[in-house]
Amino acid sequence: MLRLVLTAVLLCGSTAVYAQELTSAQRDACMGDYQKFCKSVTPGGGRIIACLAKESDKLTPACKKVLAEAQKK
């Protein structure tokens, strides 16, 4: 269920930056960070992406890489 929520948010939450499709490996890279830092955030409106960005200094290197690559596109 959490994977589905994170996937939906990553794909739809901030369309301008995250419009491309993420692979399951990319979603998996941020799942632990989502559960650790943003679990209580209500999905929708880009709130989870904003939460992850706010916690960027605490994210795993793999999740930081996914978010940085997504912002380049």
Side-chain angles (χ1 to χ4, degrees):
M1 179 66 177
L2 288 175
R3 175 179 278 176
L4 178 62
V5 170
L6 183 58
T7 300
V9 170
L10 287 175
L11 293 177
C12 302
S14 180
T15 319
V17 176
Y18 297 99
Q20 80 284 354
E21 287 189 41
L22 299 179
T23 66
S24 63
Q26 290 171 315
R27 289 188 301 270
D28 290 345
C30 291
M31 184 57 67
D33 292 316
Y34 161 75
Q35 291 175 335
K36 186 173 183 179
F37 302 115
C38 303
K39 188 176 180 178
S40 64
V41 174
T42 304
R47 288 184 285 268
I48 291 176
I49 296 301
C51 176
L52 288 172
K54 181 179 168 186
E55 302 294 337
S56 63
D57 60 323
K58 301 174 190 171
L59 299 179
T60 60
C63 187
K64 284 182 184 180
K65 183 178 177 183
V66 166
L67 294 176
E69 289 173 1
Q71 288 177 339
K72 290 179 185 177
K73 294 183 178 182

